[in-house]
Amino acid sequence: MLIFLIAGSVALLIHECGHALAQFLFKIPVKELVWGFGPRLFKFGVFEVRLIPFKGYVHPAGPLYAKKRWHGISIALAGVVMTWIGVLVLFITQAVKVPWLKDFSVWYTLWAFLSLLELLPFGRRDGAWIKYMILNNPAKRGQVK
C-alpha cells in the first residue's frame, strides 16, 4: 500500500514538472511549482514542498497567456506526456533488477493511466485548458502583450 501512495505522489510531481518545463520552454515564467498541500515544509526557488504530497500545481508569474494556441495546448498536455515518459524510463530501467522497482513501476503505470483523466474537458483539469485554448485564441483577441 505504501509503494502505491509513493508512486502516485511521484507521478504527480513528474506531471507538474512537465507543465513547468513546457512553460519554461515557451518563456512563460513560473511563479510557483507546488508539490502537496497543507503547511509548507520548505521552499527552494520556485519549488515548494508541502506536508501532504497528493496534490500539486504550477502557478505562472502573471496571467498565463500563450502567444500561440498550440503553446497553451502543449503546456496543458505536457503533464500527461511527462508522466508517460516516466513510465517509459521505469520500464527501461527494469533491467537493473531492483526488487522494489518492479512494484513501483506497476503502481506508477496505474497512476499514469489515471492521469489521462486530466484530459477531460471540464472542471479545473488540463483538458478544460485545452478546450479553452481551442475555442478562444487569446493572441487574436489582443490579450497577449
Side-chain angles (χ1 to χ4, degrees):
M1 181 64 170
L2 182 62
I3 196 109
F4 170 73
L5 296 174
I6 292 170
S9 182
V10 170
L12 180 103
L13 176 63
I14 290 172
H15 178 97
E16 296 305 330
C17 285
H19 293 307
L21 178 64
Q23 281 184 266
F24 176 77
L25 292 174
F26 294 123
K27 297 180 177 35
I28 299 171
V30 174
K31 180 180 178 183
E32 289 181 304
L33 169 57
V34 178
W35 184 31
F37 64 95
R40 178 190 303 167
L41 295 177
F42 67 88
K43 186 170 183 169
F44 180 74
V46 298
F47 181 63
E48 181 177 316
V49 175
R50 297 193 179 175
L51 183 62
I52 305 167
F54 297 111
K55 184 177 184 332
Y57 64 90
V58 177
H59 190 269
L64 177 58
Y65 289 127
K67 293 182 176 133
K68 296 183 179 174
R69 186 177 292 180
W70 69 273
H71 288 184
I73 293 169
S74 298
I75 291 167
L77 286 173
V80 173
V81 169
M82 281 296 285
T83 306
W84 281 96
I85 289 172
V87 169
L88 181 65
V89 168
L90 281 170
F91 280 101
I92 289 171
T93 60
Q94 290 284 318
V96 178
K97 304 289 184 197
V98 177
W100 61 267
L101 190 58
K102 183 175 183 183
D103 292 338
F104 182 84
S105 298
V106 169
W107 290 117
Y108 183 93
T109 304
L110 173 69
W111 283 106
F113 275 109
L114 290 174
S115 78
L116 294 173
L117 295 174
E118 277 293 311
L119 299 177
L120 295 174
F122 57 83
R124 294 185 55 133
R125 302 188 188 311
D126 298 338
W129 176 249
I130 294 169
K131 178 182 164 187
Y132 172 78
M133 289 303 296
I134 289 171
L135 298 176
N136 306 297
N137 188 352
K140 286 187 177 179
R141 293 181 155 194
Q143 295 174 341
V144 177
K145 296 175 184 172

